[in-house]
Amino acid sequence: MHPSSPQSKEMADESMVRNLAAQAEAIWPQEEAIFARHPIGDGAVLDVGCGTGEITARLAEAWPRASFVGIDLEEPHLARARARCARFGSRVRFETGDAMAMPFGDAAFDLVVCRHLLQAVPDAARVLAEIRRVLRPGGRMHLIAEDYGMLWCHPTALDSDGFWQRLPQRFAAAVGCDLHVGRKTFTLLHDLGMEEIDVDYVVVDTLRTERETFARIWEAWRDGYADSIAEHSGVSRGEVEQRWEEMIACARDPRGYALWQVPVWTAVNPA
């Protein structure tokens, strides 16, 4: 989103905070098992685009001997992360950092986590190259690379495919990101020379996730991006609003079904 006023920037920030909390609530129950396959022990973990520290805190609880650094460009989010993780003391810290030019030396971390970021940057390949650079040989990356062609719901008066299969490409082209990077991540990792490339799909739907949690995710997306979608997609503000309202209502409807497939990629830096 590209806010046009301080008020809209504040609203976007608040919607992002709500979104991060709801997404963590929905995704963590399935994602936790993916992390558990490769416990980090007393290793060093980097969380790239850490946001408010939702996942850093969960990992710090799971791995009490590991050390953590979280980086993000949004200082208000970092302040929330520091408060959330204060109980872990000096083994968890947060600092301002750019995912495309990280302020760390080579081979500094055993695990690099990057969630919900790759679809929002202008050059996902560059971020992945930076992640590999700061990984130690044999270190692992854990990525949530979103793909906005992997969502749908039914029933809605306006077919949800008319939104998810039509607007993300227009919006992404206008703002300079890739909202279909999830399906491209294998190729990016292969070309980077990563090994043991694997993917799990966290299925966030109205059977596995509380309907209200799912609805809150889409409400936060609506509040943060409806104006920008209307501005950059060539679709009227009225249609954008109607589609969001219908999809959110579908998520809450006992006879409705909504689905968000979340690709979780893991790969190992060659030794």
Side-chain angles (χ1 to χ4, degrees):
M1 185 177 183
H2 298 273
S4 58
S5 69
Q7 182 180 13
S8 59
K9 176 66 163 64
E10 182 179 344
M11 291 174 62
D13 288 345
E14 180 55 36
S15 70
M16 179 61 72
V17 170
R18 290 188 286 114
N19 180 38
L20 292 171
Q23 287 183 164
E25 182 180 335
I27 293 170
W28 178 254
Q30 296 173 63
E31 190 182 13
E32 182 179 16
I34 302 171
F35 280 113
R37 290 177 199 158
H38 305 282
I40 207 68
D42 60 357
V45 182
L46 173 64
D47 188 353
V48 179
C50 62
T52 59
E54 291 274 0
I55 298 303
T56 313
R58 288 169 168 84
L59 292 176
E61 289 178 350
W63 297 328
R65 294 186 294 119
S67 61
F68 297 83
V69 180
I71 62 170
D72 203 281
L73 289 175
E74 295 290 333
E75 183 56 39
H77 291 174
L78 291 171
R80 289 176 182 260
R82 292 184 188 107
R84 185 189 304 278
C85 294
R87 67 187 185 276
F88 300 115
S90 60
R91 73 183 183 94
V92 180
R93 75 179 198 272
F94 298 93
E95 59 188 67
T96 302
D98 185 345
M100 293 196 288
M102 295 189 208
F104 307 108
D106 297 351
F109 297 96
D110 299 288
L111 172 67
V112 178
V113 178
C114 182
R115 305 171 71 261
H116 306 295
L117 177 70
L118 292 173
Q119 81 284 347
V121 297
D123 190 347
R126 182 174 171 181
V127 174
L128 292 174
E130 274 289 275
I131 290 174
R132 179 177 178 182
R133 180 184 68 78
V134 302
L135 267 178
R136 292 171 181 155
R140 185 174 297 272
M141 59 175 68
H142 175 111
L143 316 166
I144 288 185
E146 294 183 35
D147 191 312
Y148 285 73
M150 299 184 185
L151 298 99
W152 61 80
C153 63
H154 180 82
T156 56
L158 297 177
D159 183 6
S160 65
D161 278 353
F163 188 91
W164 296 118
Q165 304 305 322
R166 177 165 58 113
L167 302 190
Q169 287 292 72
R170 297 185 189 180
F171 179 80
V175 303
C177 63
D178 187 351
L179 298 183
H180 285 163
V181 73
R183 70 193 65 180
K184 303 172 185 177
T185 303
F186 177 86
T187 303
L188 293 172
L189 294 174
H190 176 276
D191 292 351
L192 195 58
M194 298 298 291
E195 297 180 348
E196 299 181 34
I197 302 169
D198 199 5
V199 66
D200 292 85
Y201 283 86
V202 170
V203 179
V204 178
D205 70 355
T206 46
L207 294 176
R208 295 164 179 82
T209 304
E210 293 290 336
R211 288 184 179 275
E212 186 58 30
T213 301
F214 199 122
R216 285 192 286 112
I217 293 171
W218 277 359
E219 283 179 333
W221 290 2
R222 174 201 62 195
D223 295 346
Y225 293 98
D227 288 336
S228 194
I229 291 170
E231 178 183 354
H232 295 296
S233 67
V235 175
S236 72
R237 186 66 165 79
E239 180 182 333
V240 171
E241 288 180 352
Q242 181 180 350
R243 287 186 175 278
W244 276 124
E245 294 309 316
E246 288 179 359
M247 291 188 294
I248 292 165
C250 177
R252 289 192 168 109
D253 183 352
R255 65 184 294 269
Y257 178 76
L259 169 70
W260 178 25
Q261 297 181 89
V262 184
V264 183
W265 292 93
T266 56
V268 172
N269 193 21

